[in-house]
mmCIF file of all heavy atoms in Angstrom:
data_model
loop_
_atom_site.group_PDB
_atom_site.id
_atom_site.type_symbol
_atom_site.label_atom_id
_atom_site.label_comp_id
_atom_site.label_asym_id
_atom_site.label_seq_id
_atom_site.Cartn_x
_atom_site.Cartn_y
_atom_site.Cartn_z
ATOM 1 N N GLY V 80 9.433 -3.902 -23.863
ATOM 2 C CA GLY V 80 9.083 -4.714 -24.989
ATOM 3 C C GLY V 80 8.694 -6.092 -24.764
ATOM 4 O O GLY V 80 8.145 -6.782 -25.583
ATOM 5 N N ARG V 81 9.029 -6.578 -23.599
ATOM 6 C CA ARG V 81 8.742 -7.997 -23.289
ATOM 7 C C ARG V 81 7.802 -8.029 -22.065
ATOM 8 O O ARG V 81 6.954 -9.066 -22.047
ATOM 9 C CB ARG V 81 9.989 -8.736 -22.885
ATOM 10 C CG ARG V 81 11.057 -8.678 -23.854
ATOM 11 C CD ARG V 81 12.328 -9.660 -23.403
ATOM 12 N NE ARG V 81 12.967 -9.086 -22.119
ATOM 13 C CZ ARG V 81 13.147 -9.715 -21.069
ATOM 14 N NH1 ARG V 81 12.654 -11.077 -21.001
ATOM 15 N NH2 ARG V 81 13.749 -9.199 -20.060
ATOM 16 N N PHE V 82 7.721 -7.152 -21.162
ATOM 17 C CA PHE V 82 6.861 -7.098 -20.009
ATOM 18 C C PHE V 82 5.783 -6.086 -20.175
ATOM 19 O O PHE V 82 6.033 -5.002 -20.759
ATOM 20 C CB PHE V 82 7.586 -6.886 -18.753
ATOM 21 C CG PHE V 82 8.588 -7.997 -18.327
ATOM 22 C CD1 PHE V 82 8.934 -9.057 -19.188
ATOM 23 C CD2 PHE V 82 9.150 -7.944 -17.066
ATOM 24 C CE1 PHE V 82 9.722 -10.020 -18.740
ATOM 25 C CE2 PHE V 82 9.995 -8.973 -16.628
ATOM 26 C CZ PHE V 82 10.332 -10.059 -17.509
ATOM 27 N N THR V 83 4.519 -6.392 -19.572
ATOM 28 C CA THR V 83 3.492 -5.302 -19.702
ATOM 29 C C THR V 83 2.914 -5.286 -18.309
ATOM 30 O O THR V 83 2.524 -6.416 -17.757
ATOM 31 C CB THR V 83 2.441 -5.735 -20.692
ATOM 32 O OG1 THR V 83 3.105 -5.798 -21.950
ATOM 33 C CG2 THR V 83 1.328 -4.635 -20.763
ATOM 34 N N ILE V 84 2.772 -4.179 -17.672
ATOM 35 C CA ILE V 84 2.169 -3.931 -16.362
ATOM 36 C C ILE V 84 0.793 -3.435 -16.628
ATOM 37 O O ILE V 84 0.491 -2.587 -17.465
ATOM 38 C CB ILE V 84 2.957 -3.139 -15.451
ATOM 39 C CG1 ILE V 84 2.423 -3.134 -14.063
ATOM 40 C CG2 ILE V 84 3.028 -1.676 -16.037
ATOM 41 C CD1 ILE V 84 3.217 -2.427 -12.913
ATOM 42 N N SER V 85 -0.215 -3.887 -15.845
ATOM 43 C CA SER V 85 -1.649 -3.458 -15.802
ATOM 44 C C SER V 85 -2.115 -3.475 -14.540
ATOM 45 O O SER V 85 -1.703 -4.106 -13.543
ATOM 46 C CB SER V 85 -2.403 -4.240 -16.827
ATOM 47 O OG SER V 85 -2.506 -5.596 -16.333
ATOM 48 N N ARG V 86 -3.220 -2.707 -14.294
ATOM 49 C CA ARG V 86 -3.839 -2.581 -13.087
ATOM 50 C C ARG V 86 -5.285 -2.573 -13.215
ATOM 51 O O ARG V 86 -5.895 -1.993 -14.240
ATOM 52 C CB ARG V 86 -3.506 -1.337 -12.232
ATOM 53 C CG ARG V 86 -3.733 -0.041 -12.789
ATOM 54 C CD ARG V 86 -3.165 1.179 -12.028
ATOM 55 N NE ARG V 86 -3.764 1.408 -10.562
ATOM 56 C CZ ARG V 86 -3.316 2.268 -9.723
ATOM 57 N NH1 ARG V 86 -2.147 2.834 -10.069
ATOM 58 N NH2 ARG V 86 -3.772 2.359 -8.547
ATOM 59 N N ASP V 87 -6.119 -3.140 -12.352
ATOM 60 C CA ASP V 87 -7.445 -3.301 -12.351
ATOM 61 C C ASP V 87 -8.025 -2.650 -11.098
ATOM 62 O O ASP V 87 -8.070 -3.449 -9.984
ATOM 63 C CB ASP V 87 -8.007 -4.739 -12.629
ATOM 64 C CG ASP V 87 -9.517 -4.821 -12.741
ATOM 65 O OD1 ASP V 87 -10.307 -3.975 -12.277
ATOM 66 O OD2 ASP V 87 -10.045 -5.784 -13.426
ATOM 67 N N ASN V 88 -8.505 -1.392 -11.078
ATOM 68 C CA ASN V 88 -8.879 -0.816 -9.793
ATOM 69 C C ASN V 88 -10.127 -1.448 -9.253
ATOM 70 O O ASN V 88 -10.465 -1.381 -8.052
ATOM 71 C CB ASN V 88 -9.157 0.679 -10.035
ATOM 72 C CG ASN V 88 -7.753 1.429 -10.241
ATOM 73 O OD1 ASN V 88 -6.738 1.025 -9.865
ATOM 74 N ND2 ASN V 88 -7.798 2.667 -10.704
ATOM 75 N N ALA V 89 -10.968 -1.975 -10.012
ATOM 76 C CA ALA V 89 -12.229 -2.727 -9.653
ATOM 77 C C ALA V 89 -11.898 -3.919 -8.947
ATOM 78 O O ALA V 89 -12.638 -4.190 -7.944
ATOM 79 C CB ALA V 89 -13.155 -2.792 -10.728
ATOM 80 N N LYS V 90 -10.929 -4.541 -9.314
ATOM 81 C CA LYS V 90 -10.514 -5.850 -8.592
ATOM 82 C C LYS V 90 -9.328 -5.698 -7.676
ATOM 83 O O LYS V 90 -8.945 -6.725 -6.957
ATOM 84 C CB LYS V 90 -10.159 -6.932 -9.703
ATOM 85 C CG LYS V 90 -11.353 -7.279 -10.597
ATOM 86 C CD LYS V 90 -10.906 -8.440 -11.606
ATOM 87 C CE LYS V 90 -12.089 -8.816 -12.303
ATOM 88 N NZ LYS V 90 -11.616 -9.899 -13.351
ATOM 89 N N ASN V 91 -8.739 -4.552 -7.544
ATOM 90 C CA ASN V 91 -7.693 -4.267 -6.635
ATOM 91 C C ASN V 91 -6.544 -5.048 -6.895
ATOM 92 O O ASN V 91 -5.869 -5.627 -6.004
ATOM 93 C CB ASN V 91 -8.091 -4.375 -5.160
ATOM 94 C CG ASN V 91 -9.276 -3.456 -4.841
ATOM 95 O OD1 ASN V 91 -9.304 -2.325 -5.273
ATOM 96 N ND2 ASN V 91 -10.159 -3.853 -3.909
ATOM 97 N N THR V 92 -6.215 -5.177 -8.161
ATOM 98 C CA THR V 92 -5.177 -6.062 -8.614
ATOM 99 C C THR V 92 -4.254 -5.318 -9.566
ATOM 100 O O THR V 92 -4.595 -4.451 -10.322
ATOM 101 C CB THR V 92 -5.611 -7.424 -9.271
ATOM 102 O OG1 THR V 92 -6.397 -7.083 -10.344
ATOM 103 C CG2 THR V 92 -6.453 -8.245 -8.332
#
Side-chain angles (χ1 to χ4, degrees):
R81 300 187 297 122
F82 291 11
T83 303
I84 189 170
S85 60
R86 63 191 287 171
D87 186 334
N88 289 342
K90 296 182 178 179
N91 300 325
T92 59

